[in-house]
């Protein structure tokens, strides 16, 4: 298993990281690190709600054989869990694999840990750079 590294930083940093990733892929210089990047804190909290984090943990710990079983683990409606699982799959946090019991779709979390780094500036750097110096 591996660690999923989640970063939240400004869009310019995302662009630089994406360019570096492409460069590393082209030069076969990847370190095998799984990373998920969000451009804003709002994007992060909209995507990884407490309910979704609870669902991810339940799947990682219990390895349910189906979406229905995952919903039972977190005591939520199957259709709501299905929607969350699809979103988490798009983000790359889990996979939905065919071949569970009776041909069910099985959610699988390929990580044993999530680490989050949030760059949350309290002052807009662009405004600070253009502000006149006081004398």
């Amino acid at each position: 298993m591996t660690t999923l590294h989640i970063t939240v930083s400004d869009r310019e940093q995302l662009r630089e990281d994406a360019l570096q990733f492409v460069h590393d892929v082209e030069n076969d210089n990847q370190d095998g690190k799984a990373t998920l990047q969000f451009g804003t804190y709002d994007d992060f909290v909209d995507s990884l709600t407490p309910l979704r984090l609870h669902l991810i943990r339940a799947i990682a710990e219990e390895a349910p054989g189906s979406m229905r079983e995952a919903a039972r683990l977190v005591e939520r409606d199957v259709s709501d869990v299905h929607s969350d699982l699809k979103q988490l799959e798009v983000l790359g946090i889990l996979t939905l694999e065919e071949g569970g019991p009776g041909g069910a779709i099985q959610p699988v979390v390929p990580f044993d840990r999530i680490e989050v780094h949030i760059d949350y500036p309290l002052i807009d750097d662009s405004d600070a750079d253009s502000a006149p110096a006081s004398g």
Side-chain angles (χ1 to χ4, degrees):
M1 288 264 206
T2 183
T3 299
L4 172 62
H5 299 271
I6 298 177
T7 61
V8 180
S9 57
D10 66 24
R11 297 204 186 277
E12 181 60 28
Q13 184 62 48
L14 284 177
R15 188 183 79 69
E16 290 175 21
D17 291 348
L19 290 172
Q20 182 63 46
F21 176 79
V22 169
H23 179 266
D24 290 346
V25 168
E26 288 174 348
N27 293 306
D28 199 27
N29 189 24
Q30 294 176 291
D31 60 6
K33 186 167 96 171
T35 303
L36 174 60
Q37 297 178 317
F38 292 96
T40 67
Y41 179 75
D42 290 340
D43 291 343
F44 169 72
V45 296
D46 288 346
S47 297
L48 290 177
T49 65
L51 287 174
R52 287 181 180 163
L53 288 170
H54 180 64
L55 178 60
I56 294 165
R57 174 174 255 166
I59 292 167
E61 288 178 343
E62 302 294 330
S66 68
M67 290 185 185
R68 185 172 303 281
E69 189 178 335
R72 276 194 293 267
L73 287 172
V74 294
E75 299 177 350
R76 292 180 51 209
D77 182 76
V78 175
S79 63
D80 292 338
V81 168
H82 179 271
S83 176
D84 282 349
L85 291 173
K86 289 293 193 178
Q87 180 64 30
L88 293 169
E89 180 184 39
V90 167
L91 291 171
I93 295 173
L94 57 76
T95 59
L96 298 174
E97 299 177 0
E98 295 184 20
I105 302 294
Q106 181 177 13
V108 176
V109 175
F111 307 105
D112 58 357
R113 170 175 219 77
I114 294 176
E115 292 182 1
V116 179
H117 171 80
I118 299 174
D119 181 9
Y120 194 82
L122 299 176
I123 299 173
D124 185 4
D125 290 337
S126 63
D127 290 343
D129 292 340
S130 64
S134 58

